[in-house]
Amino acid sequence: MSDLLLVEQCKQNNRKAQMAIYRQYCEGMFIVARRYMKDTAAAEDATQEAFIKAFTRIHQFKGDVTFGAWLKRIVVNTCLDAIKARKMELQSINEEVFGHADEDDWSTDDAVTAEEVLKAIDELPQNYRVVVQLFLVEGYDHQEISEILGISESASRTNLFRGKQKLQQRLKHLRYGTGY
C-alpha cells in the first residue's frame, strides 16, 4: 500500500494504517533520533513522541515533500526540543572574531569510514555536535539551523567551524593512533 493511501487513511484515524506507517518508519526514525540523543532510551522516547505528534498533526501533511521527509523533520525537531528541555547551553561566541566558517572543506583521510565519522561526531561537545549533525548529516542550511536552535546564523557558522575543527582533529588522531 502506498504512503499516500496510508496517510489518507491515517487522516481518518484508521489505527491499522497508523500501525502500518509506524512499522514502516519506526526503525529509520529511531536511527535519526539516536544521532541526537545520547542514550537509547531517550532516542526511543523521542521517536515515540514524534510519531504521536505526526499522527495528531497528520492533517498538516500536504504532500509537498515525501511523508518520510515530513516525519524525519518532526523527529529531528522533537529531539532538539528534548535537548533544549535539558537546558542545553550554547557557548557564547565572539562573532566578530570568528566570522564565517569555510563550509566546503570537509575533507578527511580516504581511509576514514562513514561509521568513524558518525562516531566522532557523536563524541563532539553537544553544541558543536548538534550543529554539525544538522548541517552535515541532515542537510540543513545556517538559516534553518539558526531558526531551529534559536541562535544567530553567525553562531551557527561558528559552531560548525569549531565542530569541524574538533571533528577533523579526532579523525586525524584516530588515523594515527595518538588518542585525543
Side-chain angles (χ1 to χ4, degrees), residues 2-8 10 15-26 29 51 54-55 58 67 71:
S2 78
D3 280 357
L4 292 178
L5 183 57
L6 285 173
V7 168
E8 287 307 313
C10 287
R15 299 291 181 218
K16 287 184 180 180
Q18 289 175 340
M19 199 60 194
I21 290 273
Y22 177 79
R23 277 192 226 109
Q24 182 176 348
Y25 287 100
C26 69
M29 295 303 128
F51 271 99
F55 289 135
I58 195 114
F67 181 77
L71 182 59

mmCIF file with all atom_site columns, all heavy atoms in Angstrom, residues 2-8 10 15-26 29 51 54-55 58 67 71:
data_model
loop_
_atom_site.group_PDB
_atom_site.id
_atom_site.type_symbol
_atom_site.label_atom_id
_atom_site.label_alt_id
_atom_site.label_comp_id
_atom_site.label_asym_id
_atom_site.label_entity_id
_atom_site.label_seq_id
_atom_site.pdbx_PDB_ins_code
_atom_site.Cartn_x
_atom_site.Cartn_y
_atom_site.Cartn_z
_atom_site.occupancy
_atom_site.B_iso_or_equiv
_atom_site.pdbx_formal_charge
_atom_site.auth_seq_id
_atom_site.auth_comp_id
_atom_site.auth_asym_id
_atom_site.auth_atom_id
_atom_site.pdbx_PDB_model_num
ATOM 1   N N   . SER A 1 2  ? 0.550  2.222  -0.795 1.00 0.00 ? 2  SER A N   1
ATOM 2   C CA  . SER A 1 2  ? 1.375  3.424  -0.916 1.00 0.00 ? 2  SER A CA  1
ATOM 3   C C   . SER A 1 2  ? 1.273  4.305  0.326  1.00 0.00 ? 2  SER A C   1
ATOM 4   O O   . SER A 1 2  ? 0.278  4.261  1.057  1.00 0.00 ? 2  SER A O   1
ATOM 5   C CB  . SER A 1 2  ? 0.964  4.225  -2.152 1.00 0.00 ? 2  SER A CB  1
ATOM 6   O OG  . SER A 1 2  ? -0.215 4.946  -1.894 1.00 0.00 ? 2  SER A OG  1
ATOM 7   N N   . ASP A 1 3  ? 2.326  5.108  0.517  1.00 0.00 ? 3  ASP A N   1
ATOM 8   C CA  . ASP A 1 3  ? 2.334  6.034  1.649  1.00 0.00 ? 3  ASP A CA  1
ATOM 9   C C   . ASP A 1 3  ? 1.151  6.982  1.609  1.00 0.00 ? 3  ASP A C   1
ATOM 10  O O   . ASP A 1 3  ? 0.535  7.253  2.632  1.00 0.00 ? 3  ASP A O   1
ATOM 11  C CB  . ASP A 1 3  ? 3.636  6.844  1.665  1.00 0.00 ? 3  ASP A CB  1
ATOM 12  C CG  . ASP A 1 3  ? 4.798  6.072  2.246  1.00 0.00 ? 3  ASP A CG  1
ATOM 13  O OD1 . ASP A 1 3  ? 4.605  4.934  2.697  1.00 0.00 ? 3  ASP A OD1 1
ATOM 14  O OD2 . ASP A 1 3  ? 5.911  6.627  2.262  1.00 0.00 ? 3  ASP A OD2 1
ATOM 15  N N   . LEU A 1 4  ? 0.860  7.504  0.430  1.00 0.00 ? 4  LEU A N   1
ATOM 16  C CA  . LEU A 1 4  ? -0.227 8.491  0.329  1.00 0.00 ? 4  LEU A CA  1
ATOM 17  C C   . LEU A 1 4  ? -1.569 7.881  0.721  1.00 0.00 ? 4  LEU A C   1
ATOM 18  O O   . LEU A 1 4  ? -2.376 8.537  1.383  1.00 0.00 ? 4  LEU A O   1
ATOM 19  C CB  . LEU A 1 4  ? -0.282 9.087  -1.079 1.00 0.00 ? 4  LEU A CB  1
ATOM 20  C CG  . LEU A 1 4  ? 0.910  9.964  -1.454 1.00 0.00 ? 4  LEU A CG  1
ATOM 21  C CD1 . LEU A 1 4  ? 0.782  10.469 -2.890 1.00 0.00 ? 4  LEU A CD1 1
ATOM 22  C CD2 . LEU A 1 4  ? 1.042  11.130 -0.494 1.00 0.00 ? 4  LEU A CD2 1
ATOM 23  N N   . LEU A 1 5  ? -1.815 6.639  0.321  1.00 0.00 ? 5  LEU A N   1
ATOM 24  C CA  . LEU A 1 5  ? -3.061 5.970  0.702  1.00 0.00 ? 5  LEU A CA  1
ATOM 25  C C   . LEU A 1 5  ? -3.093 5.741  2.210  1.00 0.00 ? 5  LEU A C   1
ATOM 26  O O   . LEU A 1 5  ? -4.115 5.989  2.862  1.00 0.00 ? 5  LEU A O   1
ATOM 27  C CB  . LEU A 1 5  ? -3.211 4.655  -0.060 1.00 0.00 ? 5  LEU A CB  1
ATOM 28  C CG  . LEU A 1 5  ? -4.496 3.870  0.187  1.00 0.00 ? 5  LEU A CG  1
ATOM 29  C CD1 . LEU A 1 5  ? -5.723 4.725  -0.129 1.00 0.00 ? 5  LEU A CD1 1
ATOM 30  C CD2 . LEU A 1 5  ? -4.502 2.617  -0.671 1.00 0.00 ? 5  LEU A CD2 1
ATOM 31  N N   . LEU A 1 6  ? -1.965 5.303  2.770  1.00 0.00 ? 6  LEU A N   1
ATOM 32  C CA  . LEU A 1 6  ? -1.882 5.117  4.223  1.00 0.00 ? 6  LEU A CA  1
ATOM 33  C C   . LEU A 1 6  ? -2.093 6.428  4.966  1.00 0.00 ? 6  LEU A C   1
ATOM 34  O O   . LEU A 1 6  ? -2.780 6.476  5.990  1.00 0.00 ? 6  LEU A O   1
ATOM 35  C CB  . LEU A 1 6  ? -0.534 4.504  4.610  1.00 0.00 ? 6  LEU A CB  1
ATOM 36  C CG  . LEU A 1 6  ? -0.351 3.022  4.320  1.00 0.00 ? 6  LEU A CG  1
ATOM 37  C CD1 . LEU A 1 6  ? 1.088  2.599  4.587  1.00 0.00 ? 6  LEU A CD1 1
ATOM 38  C CD2 . LEU A 1 6  ? -1.297 2.179  5.157  1.00 0.00 ? 6  LEU A CD2 1
ATOM 39  N N   . VAL A 1 7  ? -1.496 7.500  4.455  1.00 0.00 ? 7  VAL A N   1
ATOM 40  C CA  . VAL A 1 7  ? -1.651 8.810  5.089  1.00 0.00 ? 7  VAL A CA  1
ATOM 41  C C   . VAL A 1 7  ? -3.119 9.238  5.064  1.00 0.00 ? 7  VAL A C   1
ATOM 42  O O   . VAL A 1 7  ? -3.652 9.730  6.071  1.00 0.00 ? 7  VAL A O   1
ATOM 43  C CB  . VAL A 1 7  ? -0.742 9.864  4.419  1.00 0.00 ? 7  VAL A CB  1
ATOM 44  C CG1 . VAL A 1 7  ? -1.112 11.269 4.868  1.00 0.00 ? 7  VAL A CG1 1
ATOM 45  C CG2 . VAL A 1 7  ? 0.717  9.575  4.730  1.00 0.00 ? 7  VAL A CG2 1
ATOM 46  N N   . GLU A 1 8  ? -3.775 9.046  3.944  1.00 0.00 ? 8  GLU A N   1
ATOM 47  C CA  . GLU A 1 8  ? -5.201 9.398  3.848  1.00 0.00 ? 8  GLU A CA  1
ATOM 48  C C   . GLU A 1 8  ? -6.023 8.599  4.854  1.00 0.00 ? 8  GLU A C   1
ATOM 49  O O   . GLU A 1 8  ? -6.939 9.132  5.480  1.00 0.00 ? 8  GLU A O   1
ATOM 50  C CB  . GLU A 1 8  ? -5.727 9.195  2.422  1.00 0.00 ? 8  GLU A CB  1
ATOM 51  C CG  . GLU A 1 8  ? -5.234 10.240 1.449  1.00 0.00 ? 8  GLU A CG  1
ATOM 52  C CD  . GLU A 1 8  ? -5.489 11.682 1.898  1.00 0.00 ? 8  GLU A CD  1
ATOM 53  O OE1 . GLU A 1 8  ? -6.617 11.992 2.333  1.00 0.00 ? 8  GLU A OE1 1
ATOM 54  O OE2 . GLU A 1 8  ? -4.546 12.492 1.836  1.00 0.00 ? 8  GLU A OE2 1
ATOM 55  N N   . CYS A 1 10 ? -4.847 7.380  7.649  1.00 0.00 ? 10 CYS A N   1
ATOM 56  C CA  . CYS A 1 10 ? -4.474 7.902  8.965  1.00 0.00 ? 10 CYS A CA  1
ATOM 57  C C   . CYS A 1 10 ? -5.250 9.176  9.284  1.00 0.00 ? 10 CYS A C   1
ATOM 58  O O   . CYS A 1 10 ? -5.621 9.416  10.438 1.00 0.00 ? 10 CYS A O   1
ATOM 59  C CB  . CYS A 1 10 ? -2.977 8.172  9.039  1.00 0.00 ? 10 CYS A CB  1
ATOM 60  S SG  . CYS A 1 10 ? -1.964 6.683  9.138  1.00 0.00 ? 10 CYS A SG  1
ATOM 61  N N   . ARG A 1 15 ? -6.582 3.044  12.680 1.00 0.00 ? 15 ARG A N   1
ATOM 62  C CA  . ARG A 1 15 ? -5.487 2.540  13.527 1.00 0.00 ? 15 ARG A CA  1
ATOM 63  C C   . ARG A 1 15 ? -4.590 1.548  12.785 1.00 0.00 ? 15 ARG A C   1
ATOM 64  O O   . ARG A 1 15 ? -3.395 1.486  13.021 1.00 0.00 ? 15 ARG A O   1
ATOM 65  C CB  . ARG A 1 15 ? -6.049 1.877  14.798 1.00 0.00 ? 15 ARG A CB  1
ATOM 66  C CG  . ARG A 1 15 ? -6.843 2.813  15.670 1.00 0.00 ? 15 ARG A CG  1
ATOM 67  C CD  . ARG A 1 15 ? -5.938 3.838  16.304 1.00 0.00 ? 15 ARG A CD  1
ATOM 68  N NE  . ARG A 1 15 ? -6.714 4.721  17.161 1.00 0.00 ? 15 ARG A NE  1
ATOM 69  C CZ  . ARG A 1 15 ? -6.508 6.003  17.275 1.00 0.00 ? 15 ARG A CZ  1
ATOM 70  N NH1 . ARG A 1 15 ? -5.539 6.583  16.603 1.00 0.00 ? 15 ARG A NH1 1
ATOM 71  N NH2 . ARG A 1 15 ? -7.247 6.742  18.065 1.00 0.00 ? 15 ARG A NH2 1
ATOM 72  N N   . LYS A 1 16 ? -5.169 0.759  11.883 1.00 0.00 ? 16 LYS A N   1
ATOM 73  C CA  . LYS A 1 16 ? -4.349 -0.192 11.125 1.00 0.00 ? 16 LYS A CA  1
ATOM 74  C C   . LYS A 1 16 ? -3.381 0.550  10.200 1.00 0.00 ? 16 LYS A C   1
ATOM 75  O O   . LYS A 1 16 ? -2.228 0.155  10.048 1.00 0.00 ? 16 LYS A O   1
ATOM 76  C CB  . LYS A 1 16 ? -5.237 -1.138 10.314 1.00 0.00 ? 16 LYS A CB  1
ATOM 77  C CG  . LYS A 1 16 ? -5.941 -2.163 11.165 1.00 0.00 ? 16 LYS A CG  1
ATOM 78  C CD  . LYS A 1 16 ? -6.732 -3.131 10.326 1.00 0.00 ? 16 LYS A CD  1
ATOM 79  C CE  . LYS A 1 16 ? -7.420 -4.139 11.242 1.00 0.00 ? 16 LYS A CE  1
ATOM 80  N NZ  . LYS A 1 16 ? -8.197 -5.109 10.469 1.00 0.00 ? 16 LYS A NZ  1
ATOM 81  N N   . ALA A 1 17 ? -3.839 1.625  9.605  1.00 0.00 ? 17 ALA A N   1
ATOM 82  C CA  . ALA A 1 17 ? -2.971 2.430  8.736  1.00 0.00 ? 17 ALA A CA  1
ATOM 83  C C   . ALA A 1 17 ? -1.867 3.082  9.569  1.00 0.00 ? 17 ALA A C   1
ATOM 84  O O   . ALA A 1 17 ? -0.708 3.136  9.139  1.00 0.00 ? 17 ALA A O   1
ATOM 85  C CB  . ALA A 1 17 ? -3.789 3.481  8.001  1.00 0.00 ? 17 ALA A CB  1
ATOM 86  N N   . GLN A 1 18 ? -2.220 3.576  10.760 1.00 0.00 ? 18 GLN A N   1
ATOM 87  C CA  . GLN A 1 18 ? -1.220 4.162  11.644 1.00 0.00 ? 18 GLN A CA  1
ATOM 88  C C   . GLN A 1 18 ? -0.160 3.127  12.027 1.00 0.00 ? 18 GLN A C   1
ATOM 89  O O   . GLN A 1 18 ? 1.036  3.421  12.020 1.00 0.00 ? 18 GLN A O   1
ATOM 90  C CB  . GLN A 1 18 ? -1.875 4.731  12.903 1.00 0.00 ? 18 GLN A CB  1
ATOM 91  C CG  . GLN A 1 18 ? -2.685 5.972  12.647 1.00 0.00 ? 18 GLN A CG  1
ATOM 92  C CD  . GLN A 1 18 ? -3.430 6.458  13.886 1.00 0.00 ? 18 GLN A CD  1
ATOM 93  O OE1 . GLN A 1 18 ? -3.650 5.709  14.841 1.00 0.00 ? 18 GLN A OE1 1
ATOM 94  N NE2 . GLN A 1 18 ? -3.829 7.725  13.860 1.00 0.00 ? 18 GLN A NE2 1
ATOM 95  N N   . MET A 1 19 ? -0.614 1.917  12.306 1.00 0.00 ? 19 MET A N   1
ATOM 96  C CA  . MET A 1 19 ? 0.334  0.857  12.671 1.00 0.00 ? 19 MET A CA  1
ATOM 97  C C   . MET A 1 19 ? 1.224  0.505  11.480 1.00 0.00 ? 19 MET A C   1
ATOM 98  O O   . MET A 1 19 ? 2.431  0.266  11.654 1.00 0.00 ? 19 MET A O   1
ATOM 99  C CB  . MET A 1 19 ? -0.446 -0.368 13.156 1.00 0.00 ? 19 MET A CB  1
ATOM 100 C CG  . MET A 1 19 ? 0.371  -1.304 13.955 1.00 0.00 ? 19 MET A CG  1
ATOM 101 S SD  . MET A 1 19 ? 1.009  -0.453 15.428 1.00 0.00 ? 19 MET A SD  1
ATOM 102 C CE  . MET A 1 19 ? 2.228  -1.624 15.904 1.00 0.00 ? 19 MET A CE  1
ATOM 103 N N   . ALA A 1 20 ? 0.659  0.491  10.285 1.00 0.00 ? 20 ALA A N   1
ATOM 104 C CA  . ALA A 1 20 ? 1.451  0.195  9.084  1.00 0.00 ? 20 ALA A CA  1
ATOM 105 C C   . ALA A 1 20 ? 2.512  1.272  8.863  1.00 0.00 ? 20 ALA A C   1
ATOM 106 O O   . ALA A 1 20 ? 3.676  0.964  8.560  1.00 0.00 ? 20 ALA A O   1
ATOM 107 C CB  . ALA A 1 20 ? 0.539  0.080  7.864  1.00 0.00 ? 20 ALA A CB  1
ATOM 108 N N   . ILE A 1 21 ? 2.127  2.544  9.022  1.00 0.00 ? 21 ILE A N   1
ATOM 109 C CA  . ILE A 1 21 ? 3.089  3.650  8.896  1.00 0.00 ? 21 ILE A CA  1
ATOM 110 C C   . ILE A 1 21 ? 4.169  3.516  9.967  1.00 0.00 ? 21 ILE A C   1
ATOM 111 O O   . ILE A 1 21 ? 5.360  3.664  9.688  1.00 0.00 ? 21 ILE A O   1
ATOM 112 C CB  . ILE A 1 21 ? 2.379  5.028  9.028  1.00 0.00 ? 21 ILE A CB  1
ATOM 113 C CG1 . ILE A 1 21 ? 1.500  5.302  7.827  1.00 0.00 ? 21 ILE A CG1 1
ATOM 114 C CG2 . ILE A 1 21 ? 3.365  6.150  9.294  1.00 0.00 ? 21 ILE A CG2 1
ATOM 115 C CD1 . ILE A 1 21 ? 2.178  5.958  6.654  1.00 0.00 ? 21 ILE A CD1 1
ATOM 116 N N   . TYR A 1 22 ? 3.748  3.230  11.187 1.00 0.00 ? 22 TYR A N   1
ATOM 117 C CA  . TYR A 1 22 ? 4.699  3.096  12.284 1.00 0.00 ? 22 TYR A CA  1
ATOM 118 C C   . TYR A 1 22 ? 5.710  1.998  11.979 1.00 0.00 ? 22 TYR A C   1
ATOM 119 O O   . TYR A 1 22 ? 6.923  2.195  12.102 1.00 0.00 ? 22 TYR A O   1
ATOM 120 C CB  . TYR A 1 22 ? 3.976  2.809  13.600 1.00 0.00 ? 22 TYR A CB  1
ATOM 121 C CG  . TYR A 1 22 ? 4.922  2.602  14.745 1.00 0.00 ? 22 TYR A CG  1
ATOM 122 C CD1 . TYR A 1 22 ? 5.511  3.680  15.386 1.00 0.00 ? 22 TYR A CD1 1
ATOM 123 C CD2 . TYR A 1 22 ? 5.269  1.312  15.169 1.00 0.00 ? 22 TYR A CD2 1
ATOM 124 C CE1 . TYR A 1 22 ? 6.417  3.499  16.423 1.00 0.00 ? 22 TYR A CE1 1
ATOM 125 C CE2 . TYR A 1 22 ? 6.163  1.121  16.202 1.00 0.00 ? 22 TYR A CE2 1
ATOM 126 C CZ  . TYR A 1 22 ? 6.728  2.213  16.831 1.00 0.00 ? 22 TYR A CZ  1
ATOM 127 O OH  . TYR A 1 22 ? 7.625  2.029  17.842 1.00 0.00 ? 22 TYR A OH  1
ATOM 128 N N   . ARG A 1 23 ? 5.224  0.819  11.578 1.00 0.00 ? 23 ARG A N   1
ATOM 129 C CA  . ARG A 1 23 ? 6.121  -0.308 11.285 1.00 0.00 ? 23 ARG A CA  1
ATOM 130 C C   . ARG A 1 23 ? 7.085  0.033  10.147 1.00 0.00 ? 23 ARG A C   1
ATOM 131 O O   . ARG A 1 23 ? 8.245  -0.356 10.176 1.00 0.00 ? 23 ARG A O   1
ATOM 132 C CB  . ARG A 1 23 ? 5.321  -1.549 10.925 1.00 0.00 ? 23 ARG A CB  1
ATOM 133 C CG  . ARG A 1 23 ? 4.854  -2.303 12.144 1.00 0.00 ? 23 ARG A CG  1
ATOM 134 C CD  . ARG A 1 23 ? 4.309  -3.687 11.769 1.00 0.00 ? 23 ARG A CD  1
ATOM 135 N NE  . ARG A 1 23 ? 3.063  -3.877 12.481 1.00 0.00 ? 23 ARG A NE  1
ATOM 136 C CZ  . ARG A 1 23 ? 1.858  -3.882 11.923 1.00 0.00 ? 23 ARG A CZ  1
ATOM 137 N NH1 . ARG A 1 23 ? 1.711  -3.749 10.639 1.00 0.00 ? 23 ARG A NH1 1
ATOM 138 N NH2 . ARG A 1 23 ? 0.797  -4.050 12.653 1.00 0.00 ? 23 ARG A NH2 1
ATOM 139 N N   . GLN A 1 24 ? 6.581  0.749  9.159  1.00 0.00 ? 24 GLN A N   1
ATOM 140 C CA  . GLN A 1 24 ? 7.406  1.086  8.004  1.00 0.00 ? 24 GLN A CA  1
ATOM 141 C C   . GLN A 1 24 ? 8.530  2.055  8.360  1.00 0.00 ? 24 GLN A C   1
ATOM 142 O O   . GLN A 1 24 ? 9.638  1.956  7.837  1.00 0.00 ? 24 GLN A O   1
ATOM 143 C CB  . GLN A 1 24 ? 6.522  1.689  6.911  1.00 0.00 ? 24 GLN A CB  1
ATOM 144 C CG  . GLN A 1 24 ? 7.258  2.025  5.644  1.00 0.00 ? 24 GLN A CG  1
ATOM 145 C CD  . GLN A 1 24 ? 6.318  2.525  4.553  1.00 0.00 ? 24 GLN A CD  1
ATOM 146 O OE1 . GLN A 1 24 ? 5.108  2.428  4.656  1.00 0.00 ? 24 GLN A OE1 1
ATOM 147 N NE2 . GLN A 1 24 ? 6.894  3.075  3.501  1.00 0.00 ? 24 GLN A NE2 1
ATOM 148 N N   . TYR A 1 25 ? 8.270  3.005  9.248  1.00 0.00 ? 25 TYR A N   1
ATOM 149 C CA  . TYR A 1 25 ? 9.227  4.085  9.506  1.00 0.00 ? 25 TYR A CA  1
ATOM 150 C C   . TYR A 1 25 ? 9.909  4.051  10.868 1.00 0.00 ? 25 TYR A C   1
ATOM 151 O O   . TYR A 1 25 ? 10.863 4.794  11.091 1.00 0.00 ? 25 TYR A O   1
ATOM 152 C CB  . TYR A 1 25 ? 8.519  5.443  9.364  1.00 0.00 ? 25 TYR A CB  1
ATOM 153 C CG  . TYR A 1 25 ? 8.215  5.809  7.939  1.00 0.00 ? 25 TYR A CG  1
ATOM 154 C CD1 . TYR A 1 25 ? 6.935  5.622  7.412  1.00 0.00 ? 25 TYR A CD1 1
ATOM 155 C CD2 . TYR A 1 25 ? 9.194  6.326  7.110  1.00 0.00 ? 25 TYR A CD2 1
ATOM 156 C CE1 . TYR A 1 25 ? 6.651  5.958  6.095  1.00 0.00 ? 25 TYR A CE1 1
ATOM 157 C CE2 . TYR A 1 25 ? 8.923  6.653  5.795  1.00 0.00 ? 25 TYR A CE2 1
ATOM 158 C CZ  . TYR A 1 25 ? 7.651  6.473  5.298  1.00 0.00 ? 25 TYR A CZ  1
ATOM 159 O OH  . TYR A 1 25 ? 7.382  6.809  3.997  1.00 0.00 ? 25 TYR A OH  1
ATOM 160 N N   . CYS A 1 26 ? 9.457  3.216  11.795 1.00 0.00 ? 26 CYS A N   1
ATOM 161 C CA  . CYS A 1 26 ? 9.973  3.318  13.167 1.00 0.00 ? 26 CYS A CA  1
ATOM 162 C C   . CYS A 1 26 ? 11.472 3.077  13.259 1.00 0.00 ? 26 CYS A C   1
ATOM 163 O O   . CYS A 1 26 ? 12.177 3.810  13.958 1.00 0.00 ? 26 CYS A O   1
ATOM 164 C CB  . CYS A 1 26 ? 9.209  2.410  14.124 1.00 0.00 ? 26 CYS A CB  1
ATOM 165 S SG  . CYS A 1 26 ? 9.467  0.653  13.879 1.00 0.00 ? 26 CYS A SG  1
ATOM 166 N N   . MET A 1 29 ? 13.427 6.110  11.759 1.00 0.00 ? 29 MET A N   1
ATOM 167 C CA  . MET A 1 29 ? 13.284 7.316  12.578 1.00 0.00 ? 29 MET A CA  1
ATOM 168 C C   . MET A 1 29 ? 14.018 7.174  13.906 1.00 0.00 ? 29 MET A C   1
ATOM 169 O O   . MET A 1 29 ? 14.549 8.141  14.437 1.00 0.00 ? 29 MET A O   1
ATOM 170 C CB  . MET A 1 29 ? 11.805 7.642  12.808 1.00 0.00 ? 29 MET A CB  1
ATOM 171 C CG  . MET A 1 29 ? 11.061 8.008  11.536 1.00 0.00 ? 29 MET A CG  1
ATOM 172 S SD  . MET A 1 29 ? 11.801 9.410  10.657 1.00 0.00 ? 29 MET A SD  1
ATOM 173 C CE  . MET A 1 29 ? 11.984 8.725  9.024  1.00 0.00 ? 29 MET A CE  1
ATOM 174 N N   . PHE A 1 51 ? 6.170  10.210 16.651 1.00 0.00 ? 51 PHE A N   1
ATOM 175 C CA  . PHE A 1 51 ? 5.063  9.527  15.972 1.00 0.00 ? 51 PHE A CA  1
ATOM 176 C C   . PHE A 1 51 ? 3.716  10.020 16.498 1.00 0.00 ? 51 PHE A C   1
ATOM 177 O O   . PHE A 1 51 ? 2.780  10.221 15.721 1.00 0.00 ? 51 PHE A O   1
ATOM 178 C CB  . PHE A 1 51 ? 5.176  8.008  16.122 1.00 0.00 ? 51 PHE A CB  1
ATOM 179 C CG  . PHE A 1 51 ? 5.983  7.375  15.034 1.00 0.00 ? 51 PHE A CG  1
ATOM 180 C CD1 . PHE A 1 51 ? 7.314  7.043  15.246 1.00 0.00 ? 51 PHE A CD1 1
ATOM 181 C CD2 . PHE A 1 51 ? 5.432  7.113  13.787 1.00 0.00 ? 51 PHE A CD2 1
ATOM 182 C CE1 . PHE A 1 51 ? 8.075  6.463  14.244 1.00 0.00 ? 51 PHE A CE1 1
ATOM 183 C CE2 . PHE A 1 51 ? 6.177  6.536  12.778 1.00 0.00 ? 51 PHE A CE2 1
ATOM 184 C CZ  . PHE A 1 51 ? 7.506  6.212  13.004 1.00 0.00 ? 51 PHE A CZ  1
ATOM 185 N N   . ALA A 1 54 ? 3.166  13.294 14.915 1.00 0.00 ? 54 ALA A N   1
ATOM 186 C CA  . ALA A 1 54 ? 2.863  13.125 13.490 1.00 0.00 ? 54 ALA A CA  1
ATOM 187 C C   . ALA A 1 54 ? 1.417  12.691 13.296 1.00 0.00 ? 54 ALA A C   1
ATOM 188 O O   . ALA A 1 54 ? 0.713  13.237 12.424 1.00 0.00 ? 54 ALA A O   1
ATOM 189 C CB  . ALA A 1 54 ? 3.814  12.111 12.860 1.00 0.00 ? 54 ALA A CB  1
ATOM 190 N N   . PHE A 1 55 ? 0.961  11.741 14.089 1.00 0.00 ? 55 PHE A N   1
ATOM 191 C CA  . PHE A 1 55 ? -0.412 11.263 13.917 1.00 0.00 ? 55 PHE A CA  1
ATOM 192 C C   . PHE A 1 55 ? -1.447 12.294 14.354 1.00 0.00 ? 55 PHE A C   1
ATOM 193 O O   . PHE A 1 55 ? -2.521 12.371 13.778 1.00 0.00 ? 55 PHE A O   1
ATOM 194 C CB  . PHE A 1 55 ? -0.619 9.936  14.642 1.00 0.00 ? 55 PHE A CB  1
ATOM 195 C CG  . PHE A 1 55 ? 0.089  8.779  13.974 1.00 0.00 ? 55 PHE A CG  1
ATOM 196 C CD1 . PHE A 1 55 ? 0.818  7.872  14.726 1.00 0.00 ? 55 PHE A CD1 1
ATOM 197 C CD2 . PHE A 1 55 ? 0.047  8.605  12.600 1.00 0.00 ? 55 PHE A CD2 1
ATOM 198 C CE1 . PHE A 1 55 ? 1.484  6.815  14.111 1.00 0.00 ? 55 PHE A CE1 1
ATOM 199 C CE2 . PHE A 1 55 ? 0.704  7.558  11.971 1.00 0.00 ? 55 PHE A CE2 1
ATOM 200 C CZ  . PHE A 1 55 ? 1.427  6.660  12.728 1.00 0.00 ? 55 PHE A CZ  1
ATOM 201 N N   . ILE A 1 58 ? -1.343 14.934 11.404 1.00 0.00 ? 58 ILE A N   1
ATOM 202 C CA  . ILE A 1 58 ? -1.289 14.360 10.064 1.00 0.00 ? 58 ILE A CA  1
ATOM 203 C C   . ILE A 1 58 ? -2.083 15.185 9.053  1.00 0.00 ? 58 ILE A C   1
ATOM 204 O O   . ILE A 1 58 ? -1.774 15.189 7.866  1.00 0.00 ? 58 ILE A O   1
ATOM 205 C CB  . ILE A 1 58 ? -1.741 12.880 10.063 1.00 0.00 ? 58 ILE A CB  1
ATOM 206 C CG1 . ILE A 1 58 ? -1.339 12.196 8.767  1.00 0.00 ? 58 ILE A CG1 1
ATOM 207 C CG2 . ILE A 1 58 ? -3.229 12.755 10.279 1.00 0.00 ? 58 ILE A CG2 1
ATOM 208 C CD1 . ILE A 1 58 ? -0.339 11.137 8.922  1.00 0.00 ? 58 ILE A CD1 1
ATOM 209 N N   . PHE A 1 67 ? 6.375  11.683 2.678  1.00 0.00 ? 67 PHE A N   1
ATOM 210 C CA  . PHE A 1 67 ? 5.939  11.507 4.060  1.00 0.00 ? 67 PHE A CA  1
ATOM 211 C C   . PHE A 1 67 ? 7.139  11.249 4.965  1.00 0.00 ? 67 PHE A C   1
ATOM 212 O O   . PHE A 1 67 ? 7.214  11.763 6.075  1.00 0.00 ? 67 PHE A O   1
ATOM 213 C CB  . PHE A 1 67 ? 4.919  10.365 4.182  1.00 0.00 ? 67 PHE A CB  1
ATOM 214 C CG  . PHE A 1 67 ? 4.435  10.186 5.589  1.00 0.00 ? 67 PHE A CG  1
ATOM 215 C CD1 . PHE A 1 67 ? 3.504  11.054 6.131  1.00 0.00 ? 67 PHE A CD1 1
ATOM 216 C CD2 . PHE A 1 67 ? 4.946  9.170  6.384  1.00 0.00 ? 67 PHE A CD2 1
ATOM 217 C CE1 . PHE A 1 67 ? 3.079  10.916 7.441  1.00 0.00 ? 67 PHE A CE1 1
ATOM 218 C CE2 . PHE A 1 67 ? 4.526  9.021  7.692  1.00 0.00 ? 67 PHE A CE2 1
ATOM 219 C CZ  . PHE A 1 67 ? 3.584  9.895  8.226  1.00 0.00 ? 67 PHE A CZ  1
ATOM 220 N N   . LEU A 1 71 ? 8.091  13.328 8.263  1.00 0.00 ? 71 LEU A N   1
ATOM 221 C CA  . LEU A 1 71 ? 8.214  12.652 9.548  1.00 0.00 ? 71 LEU A CA  1
ATOM 222 C C   . LEU A 1 71 ? 9.611  12.847 10.143 1.00 0.00 ? 71 LEU A C   1
ATOM 223 O O   . LEU A 1 71 ? 9.758  13.081 11.345 1.00 0.00 ? 71 LEU A O   1
ATOM 224 C CB  . LEU A 1 71 ? 7.903  11.162 9.384  1.00 0.00 ? 71 LEU A CB  1
ATOM 225 C CG  . LEU A 1 71 ? 7.939  10.297 10.632 1.00 0.00 ? 71 LEU A CG  1
ATOM 226 C CD1 . LEU A 1 71 ? 6.949  10.798 11.679 1.00 0.00 ? 71 LEU A CD1 1
ATOM 227 C CD2 . LEU A 1 71 ? 7.629  8.844  10.264 1.00 0.00 ? 71 LEU A CD2 1
#
